[in-house]
Amino acid sequence: MVYNKAVKEISSHFYKTLCRERAIELEKRFVYADNAATTKVSQKALNAMLPYFTENYGNASSIYSLGGTSARAIITAREQVANAIGAKPNEIYFTSGGSESDNWAIRGCAENGAKKGKKHIITSVFEHHAVLHTCEALEKQGFEVTYIPVDEYGIINPDDVRNALRDDTCVVTIMFANNEIGTIQPIEEIGAICRERKVPFHTDAVQAIGNVEIDVNKMNIDMLSLSGHKIHAPKGIGALYIKSGISIPNLIYGGAQERSKRAGTENVASIVALGVAITDACENISQKIERVSKLRNKLIDGILKIPKTRLNGDREKRLCGNSNTSILGIEGESLLLSLDFMGIAASSGSACTSGSLDPSHVLLSIGLPHEIAHGSLRLSISEDTTDEDIDYILEKLPPIVERLRSMSPLWEKMCKNELIK
Ligand SMILES: *Cc1c(COP(=O)(O)O)cnc(C)c1O
């Protein structure tokens, strides 16, 4: 706690930079284990996009050949994104990212529904805030929202969706895989239920893309959000898949870009990078899942050897790169700072980064008490992660936990109250 206070007194950004530099200097090692937050742009995606900043700078709407080069690059990227999810190119709309795609899909369906007196929305309790806050905003505008619960393993029961459907339901939006605990949802079944009732079904697949095989037709998905920066493309680019036959209102009025639905000169370089990155992410996906899950299992097993720890989320139905554990008796924030000191970039369930100390809504949704929901550790690895990286984390983590617990009044209190088994 004393340590924690001192840390807070120093401007946190400056402190963090300093820490990382010191850690790298001391340890000569940096392990990036926060791929669920964002990923490094791949060399291949970067190489592909660079010419669109330099020689190929034309506006894709221009008639001369320089514009044509950009226009053709966008056509190729649209095909690549479509191929990655089994869609047709004219069903792909480029956006600025996952949040924009989520907002557009949900608000679009809500607007359509309102015209027919359908003002009921179904979502889940543990969606990303891009979905939850959109639904909350719609509630203020008179929509009614049903929040489907998840079980203790972080999985939704499709029957709950079936039972929640009403004649006035205008959209069902359920995430493909959770960003904190990595659990993969029964999307195909939920999609089938919605299809049967002719209710549009949207899924936020930002975390799932490149980590789970996705076929929008086979899985009965009407709308799907994806984002570039979670799959080694740059930040600020994403896409929304809208099944042909479904029409939602335009997002941005202006030029004829994105079939006039989302106007504005295209972000050509990033679109090109997204096309390359998504192709890479979805190629040889089963080999990748096999390799990365092995590393993840080693990581999880290693962490669970520390006394009084638990795995959050289902063991099997989870993203190959996701590990989320509760380490009882310590604050997520102090843990992250200590890990950062050792050159390990990780994330916690508590929303300390946003300045609030609220425990994560995801961890509360799977039934964790507040005290435990504060001390979770999310380590999200990628295909770039090595065996040595895992060894390094497993070498550094236990002594950090021991030190923080020895200083923690929370730990003492938990031991006394027998909150710990
Ligand atoms: C990151 C993320 C988003 C937001 O995507 P941006 O491109 O950062 O706007 C939405 N949903 C999930 C599940 C995410 O992980």
Side-chain angles (χ1 to χ4, degrees):
M1 278 304 135
V2 174
Y3 164 80
N4 217 353
K5 236 186 211 157
V7 164
K8 274 180 200 157
E9 276 163 18
I10 308 171
S11 153
S12 99
H13 176 73
F14 182 68
Y15 174 81
K16 281 179 184 171
T17 315
L18 209 74
C19 271
R20 188 162 57 244
E21 278 163 10
R22 258 200 72 191
I24 292 165
E25 205 189 311
L26 285 174
E27 298 285 341
K28 302 260 184 280
R29 194 157 190 115
F30 176 63
V31 176
Y32 184 71
D34 203 13
N35 287 279
T38 197
T39 57
K40 182 180 180 176
V41 174
S42 73
Q43 195 61 49
K44 213 164 150 188
L46 182 67
N47 289 346
M49 77 189 287
L50 283 177
Y52 295 89
F53 289 115
T54 52
E55 62 264 35
N56 302 337
Y57 53 83
N59 186 318
S61 306
S62 300
I63 209 84
Y64 41 79
S65 43
L66 189 65
T69 305
S70 295
R72 278 193 303 279
I74 294 172
I75 290 174
T76 303
R78 206 183 299 282
E79 284 167 0
Q80 288 168 322
V81 174
N83 285 340
I85 58 170
K88 297 191 283 282
N90 65 1
E91 296 173 317
I92 302 298
Y93 297 82
F94 290 115
T95 65
S96 72
S99 302
E100 183 182 316
S101 297
D102 286 344
N103 273 254
W104 188 15
I106 299 165
R107 295 167 75 95
C109 289
E111 201 180 312
N112 279 348
K115 284 183 202 141
K116 297 180 221 151
K118 296 182 171 189
K119 296 186 80 172
H120 176 237
I121 295 167
I122 297 174
T123 186
S124 82
V125 287
F126 78 159
E127 296 293 311
H128 189 274
H129 284 135
V131 169
L132 282 183
H133 290 167
T134 302
C135 289
E136 284 162 21
L138 288 165
E139 278 181 303
K140 292 205 178 92
Q141 292 171 30
F143 286 83
E144 203 185 314
V145 181
T146 301
Y147 297 91
I148 305 286
V150 298
D151 68 14
E152 58 182 306
Y153 300 104
I155 308 284
I156 288 166
N157 181 348
D159 283 335
D160 288 344
V161 177
R162 187 193 310 279
N163 296 333
L165 278 166
R166 308 193 319 210
D167 291 339
D168 65 342
T169 307
C170 59
V171 65
V172 173
T173 174
I174 303 281
M175 72 197 318
F176 208 120
N178 185 270
N179 46 303
E180 284 187 35
I181 55 175
T183 50
I184 300 167
Q185 305 307 316
I187 289 302
E188 190 172 336
E189 286 99 308
I190 297 171
I193 292 165
C194 296
R195 180 95 11 123
E196 195 186 304
R197 295 282 298 265
K198 297 193 170 58
V199 176
F201 173 49
H202 167 256
T203 186
D204 174 341
V206 173
Q207 292 288 335
I209 276 289
N211 294 306
V212 183
E213 261 179 85
I214 299 179
D215 183 317
V216 287
N217 290 312
K218 183 171 157 264
M219 296 178 156
N220 311 302
I221 298 166
D222 295 319
M223 277 168 290
L224 176 146
S225 301
L226 61 94
S227 173
H229 75 101
K230 306 282 172 79
I231 53 167
H232 305 281
K235 293 154 188 69
I237 187 70
L240 178 65
Y241 154 77
I242 309 175
K243 190 179 174 62
S244 56
I246 290 186
S247 174
I248 61 170
N250 299 351
L251 182 67
I252 301 176
Y253 292 92
Q257 296 90 355
E258 304 306 303
R259 283 172 293 283
S260 301
K261 291 206 153 295
R262 200 257 186 199
T265 304
E266 299 91 340
N267 183 354
V268 185
S270 292
I271 288 173
V272 167
L274 175 61
V276 170
I278 203 167
T279 307
D280 250 11
C282 296
E283 245 169 26
N284 307 322
I285 196 163
S286 43
Q287 278 125 290
K288 172 189 154 182
I289 292 173
E290 202 186 312
R291 196 188 81 81
V292 179
S293 350
K294 257 192 206 140
L295 289 180
R296 178 209 61 195
N297 290 344
K298 177 173 166 181
L299 181 61
I300 291 176
D301 292 339
I303 297 172
L304 294 181
K305 282 198 190 118
I306 301 172
K308 313 298 181 195
T309 49
R310 56 157 276 160
L311 177 69
N312 296 317
D314 195 272
R315 178 92 205 205
E316 305 298 326
K317 291 176 203 150
R318 77 186 298 133
L319 294 172
C320 54
N322 176 288
S323 140
N324 187 312
T325 47
S326 285
I327 301 180
L328 273 58
I330 57 180
E331 303 261 359
E333 194 181 12
S334 13
L335 180 59
L336 295 191
L337 289 170
S338 304
L339 285 169
D340 188 27
F341 212 81
M342 292 294 166
I344 300 168
S347 158
S348 146
S350 62
C352 58
T353 43
S354 61
S356 91
L357 278 171
D358 291 343
S360 131
H361 69 289
V362 174
L363 296 177
L364 294 178
S365 78
I366 57 170
L368 292 196
H370 276 248
E371 294 92 321
I372 297 178
H374 268 300
S376 92
L377 173 65
R378 180 185 72 183
L379 293 159
S380 44
I381 61 173
S382 81
E383 54 278 20
D384 295 339
T385 309
T386 64
D387 209 39
E388 290 73 37
D389 289 339
I390 305 292
D391 289 339
Y392 182 76
I393 297 172
L394 291 177
E395 176 198 327
K396 296 298 171 193
L397 183 62
I400 291 175
V401 170
E402 199 172 316
R403 186 168 51 82
L404 291 176
R405 277 177 174 170
S406 73
M407 302 191 293
S408 160
L410 190 71
W411 176 245
E412 236 173 75
K413 192 180 125 205
M414 282 178 150
C415 293
K416 269 196 203 123
N417 295 353
E418 289 177 346
L419 256 168
I420 294 169
K421 299 185 277 301

